Amino acid sequence: MKHWLRITLIALALLIVVGGGLLYWASRPDIAQVSELDGTGRAPKFTQTRTQNFPTIAVAKAVGWAGGAKPVAAAGLQVTAFADRLDHPRSLYRLPNGDVLVAEANSPPREGGGITGWVMGMMMKKAGAGVPSANRITLLRDTNGDGVADLRSVLLANLNSPTGMALVGDWLYVANTDAVVRYPFKPGETQITAKPEKIFALAGGGNHWARNLVAAADGKSLYVAVGSASNIAENGIEAEGEALYATRGRPSEMASLGGGTKGARAAILQIYPDTKSGRVFAWGLRNPNAMAFEPSSGALWTVVNERDMLGSDMPPDYLTQVDLGAFYGWPWNYWGGHVDKRVTPERPDLRQYTKRPDFGLGAHTAPLGLTFASEAKLGANYARGAFISLHGSWNREPPSGYKIVFVPFGDNGFPAANARPVDLLTGFLGKDGKTAQGRPVGVITDATGALLVADDVGNTIWRVSAATK
């Protein structure tokens, strides 16, 4: 009996050692084999994917700005604080009178627990995103033109993780995580006391909770970006609701949505406030964020966060023009037809419809903000193109993003040939790559042509302007 007990204990010990070794090996971070810049441009470099069972977790620890530190502007530019002591500022919107609205928001309470929920909670806390959502929109006004907001007022409170904002006529539209609502409002007012009018229901929460919004030029419709609930529909296609409505047919068979829906994820919706109806404008976009209209063509553009756990080098996040009825591949394909073999059931019939994005922004850089340079006054080097905020990676080694970049455009309304992102505002990531003093999110121009950047870790809005002589 003692002999068999000894053998059993030895076998058990061997299993523990081998199992522990396998777990240690499987959980090691995937190290990037190419530079962040290789994943950028109109034709980014594609390498072999490295599928992970455990994600690389390499998020920089949020530490904030200490001792008067601030980001570093490119040559010929300077940076100052437009407003500080905010509570997780995310998106920005400028009113016609020059007032600036900032949505102070964070993720709503997340469903699900277990090991996955615990890991996500720890990661968000480390990244500075573990704080409760302030759920408000604050109005900032620079009354004396010195580049610093000296009037601050809570315009709206008790919202639900708001992101998108747009003024159309006498209505201020707000995209909460679960609905687009509107309030009567005129520029100059500093507080809204009216109750919201619900315009359109949205799929709320999920892995991607932010709902950006932009108004069409004619003011008759709104575009709303709704991210997926998961990485690659690992909880089943059905869990993504009507985002994947076209799995019943072809991408050209776009769905009309009456009165809103709890589905329609991984898509950009076009909604009509007058009838409170809408349609899916484009789909297969894993996590579209900020949107803007390119000034020369009037076309809609967006930035998109691509999928995870294919290694530190793949695939690139991107900037792209958004066409009506276009399918961008998620979850089955990415970047014009690269097949993600992890997704089941497969849909090879959709591969031929997968649209190729227009510009790579690097793997896992997490682009969240976008504005075009038509109203910027930062010098000739930044006269035509797009300013993009790269919030920064949580799952790449070494980290990527954590900066504002400029993408030069040509006369044809697309990124210039051979263009690469140009660093405009850096210093958010510590020199060791392990800490983050800030993380950029929303980006707009102010009434003077300076660039405003929301920093949700530094709780500051930075103002980038041409350096004074």
Side-chain angles (χ1 to χ4, degrees), residues 112-377:
I115 294 177
T116 301
W118 178 79
V119 170
M120 182 173 290
M122 292 293 291
M123 182 192 69
M124 291 178 64
K125 183 178 180 180
K126 183 179 180 182
V131 297
S133 179
N135 287 337
R136 67 172 173 259
I137 292 175
T138 296
L139 182 144
L140 302 170
R141 181 179 297 169
D142 177 6
T143 62
N144 58 10
D146 66 350
V148 178
D150 48 10
L151 184 150
R152 181 182 307 202
S153 176
V154 175
L155 185 71
L156 285 167
N158 301 315
L159 301 172
N160 186 13
S161 296
T163 302
M165 298 167 280
L167 179 69
V168 181
D170 291 332
W171 295 103
L172 179 66
Y173 290 86
V174 176
N176 288 311
T177 190
D178 60 352
V180 174
V181 298
R182 70 180 182 183
Y183 303 82
F185 176 76
K186 293 182 179 181
E189 297 173 348
T190 58
Q191 187 177 27
I192 295 175
T193 57
K195 292 184 178 180
E197 177 186 355
K198 186 174 181 179
I199 300 300
F200 203 84
L202 303 172
N207 280 11
H208 307 122
W209 58 271
R211 307 287 177 257
N212 270 289
L213 177 152
V214 65
D218 60 9
K220 295 181 179 179
S221 65
L222 305 169
Y223 297 91
V224 184
V226 183
S228 66
S230 61
N231 179 32
I232 50 168
E234 61 271 16
N235 298 320
I237 297 297
E238 297 77 10
E240 297 294 336
E242 285 190 70
L244 306 179
Y245 54 86
T247 55
R248 300 193 296 269
R250 300 194 314 180
S252 58
E253 299 170 354
M254 307 306 292
S256 290
L257 307 171
T261 173
K262 290 187 177 181
R265 300 192 72 118
I268 290 178
L269 314 181
Q270 185 177 21
I271 66 174
Y272 302 90
D274 287 348
T275 58
K276 297 185 178 180
S277 62
R279 63 177 176 176
V280 175
F281 187 80
W283 67 295
L285 299 144
R286 178 180 174 272
N287 186 23
N289 276 278
M291 297 169 288
F293 295 100
E294 199 282 321
S296 64
S297 65
L300 180 68
W301 286 69
T302 190
V303 287
V304 178
N305 291 207
E306 252 296 352
R307 64 202 69 204
D308 298 324
M309 297 176 68
L310 286 178
S312 288
D313 296 315
M314 291 291 291
D317 295 338
Y318 59 86
L319 165 72
T320 192
Q321 180 176 298
V322 184
D323 299 325
L324 174 62
F327 169 63
Y328 291 83
W330 189 87
W332 299 281
N333 310 306
Y334 56 89
W335 200 270
H338 292 264
V339 177
D340 191 334
K341 297 180 180 180
R342 301 172 298 173
V343 181
T344 56
E346 297 179 357
R347 288 299 307 270
D349 56 310
L350 293 180
R351 187 182 182 192
Q352 63 180 314
Y353 297 106
T354 303
K355 188 177 186 300
R356 184 180 181 274
D358 292 296
F359 195 88
L361 294 170
H364 312 301
T365 55
L368 296 185
L370 167 68
T371 194
F372 284 96
S374 55
E375 297 182 353
K377 296 179 181 178

